[in-house]
Every structure is written in C-alpha cells, then in structure tokens.
Amino acid sequence: MSISKQPRDPQAPKGRPTPKRSEAQSQRRSVATTPTTRKDAAKRQREERRVVLERQRQALANGDERYLPARDKGPVRRFARDFIDSRFNIAEFFLPMAVAILVLTMVRVGYLQQVALLLWLVVIVLIVLDSVVSGFRLRKRLAERFPDQNTKGAVAYGLMRSLQMRRLRLPKPQVKRGERP
C-alpha cells in the first residue's frame, strides 16, 4: 500500500468533512447579522457593553463570583473582603463622625469648637492606627492562607474596603461581623 507523494490539488478540501447544509446556512446567517455600517456596529457594541455592565452590577449586589469585575475576582480578593467585613473598622464610621464634628464646629461656643478640633485629631489617629493594624493582620492571614499565590494589591484592596460604610460596600458583605472568614 503506497501513498502517493503528489502535491495536493489547490481546489481539494482541506482535510475536513464538508459541512452539513444546516451548518452552512447558520454560518451564512451569522455573517449576515454582522453590522454593515459603523453606526450599527457602535450601537451593537454599546448594547453588549450595557448587558455586561448590568451583569456585573447584579453580581456586585449578589456576590456572584463569575460576573464580578476583574478587581474583585478571585479567592484572594474574596478572603480580603471577608476578613474586612467580619470585623468592626473605625474608618467605616468616619462619615457619621465627620458630620457630627462639623456640626460641633458650627456652634459658636469656643469650648465646643476646641473639642471638635480635638475630636478631628483623635478620629484621624484612630483610623490610621486601625488601618495599620488591619493591614498587618490581613497581610499575615493572606500569607498563611495563600502561600503560593500572588496576593499583590489585596491588602490595599481590603483597606480601601474598610473605609466604606458597611451597607454601601460592593460586592455586598457575605459574612456577618464576628464570623471568621
């Protein structure tokens, strides 16, 4: 049984079976649905982007890992979120405290204005200290939990999350306070 070494005819098929009629028709239809003008292409692209953003918004509200944005995906980021969400952070109460302190500064009583300035200093120092302690603890837990994975940016991600009020955080917190992640 000898195989001929003749060159293949350029009109010959390329080593694959001929497509069925239904497959060929579906391919033609998909080609026909491609946009013909720039305006149509831009419209279709906007619609696709809107669908993707809506899916991401739903995922942020529900915590669905599959459709989260890239900055929130992965087990390392999930652990950082859960670690921060499982504890009280002083920084998350900054906004209500800032409003209260601003009201105190508006009062035309010298003593209350001095107390308000001192409260500003105390709040800022407490937030910085709490953030430093949280950062070190999170870094240590990440190193224990994910020794062979890249944890770059996860501590900063967690600290930025701790600055937000709990009910405004996205993705929504998946653990209760006091739970261990």
Side-chain angles (χ1 to χ4, degrees), residues 2-178:
S2 70
I3 299 176
S4 71
K5 299 289 183 187
Q6 291 180 330
R8 194 171 60 95
D9 180 20
Q11 299 297 321
K14 297 182 177 167
R16 58 178 169 75
T18 303
K20 293 182 180 179
R21 179 177 294 210
S22 60
E23 292 171 5
Q25 286 175 344
S26 70
Q27 284 178 344
R28 277 198 307 270
R29 278 194 200 104
S30 69
V31 170
T33 59
T34 57
T36 55
T37 64
R38 244 180 96 201
K39 192 175 180 181
D40 291 340
K43 186 176 180 182
R44 174 179 275 178
Q45 194 173 22
R46 272 195 310 274
E47 181 63 26
E48 288 172 357
R49 177 130 174 89
R50 190 190 63 73
V51 168
V52 167
L53 288 175
E54 177 63 23
R55 195 179 309 148
Q56 282 184 355
R57 191 185 65 74
Q58 293 282 336
L60 285 170
N62 302 331
D64 188 1
E65 273 293 318
R66 294 173 297 173
Y67 303 115
L68 286 176
R71 75 156 191 221
D72 297 313
K73 274 188 183 175
V76 174
R77 297 293 172 109
R78 180 175 182 91
F79 180 79
R81 281 195 306 271
D82 291 346
F83 180 84
I84 293 298
D85 293 341
S86 69
R87 59 189 304 272
F88 280 98
N89 300 294
I90 296 171
E92 70 183 277
F93 301 110
F94 175 73
L95 208 55
M97 288 187 291
V99 170
I101 293 171
L102 279 174
V103 168
L104 281 177
T105 59
M106 297 293 180
V107 176
R108 293 284 178 213
V109 177
Y111 174 72
L112 287 179
Q113 288 181 338
Q114 289 176 352
V115 168
L117 286 174
L118 184 64
L119 280 175
W120 273 120
L121 180 64
V122 169
V123 165
I124 290 172
V125 167
L126 285 175
I127 289 172
V128 169
L129 287 176
D130 185 46
S131 296
V132 168
V133 170
S134 294
F136 280 124
R137 285 182 180 169
L138 179 56
R139 184 173 285 120
K140 182 181 175 189
R141 295 284 305 276
L142 284 170
E144 290 170 1
R145 195 74 159 287
F146 305 100
D148 55 343
Q149 282 188 320
N150 182 11
T151 60
K152 184 177 180 182
V155 174
Y157 173 76
L159 291 177
M160 288 305 294
R161 187 171 177 85
S162 73
L163 294 174
Q164 298 168 339
M165 293 175 64
R166 184 176 171 91
R167 63 176 56 208
L168 300 179
R169 292 177 185 166
L170 289 176
K172 296 285 185 198
Q174 300 294 317
V175 295
K176 293 184 173 123
R177 293 188 198 261

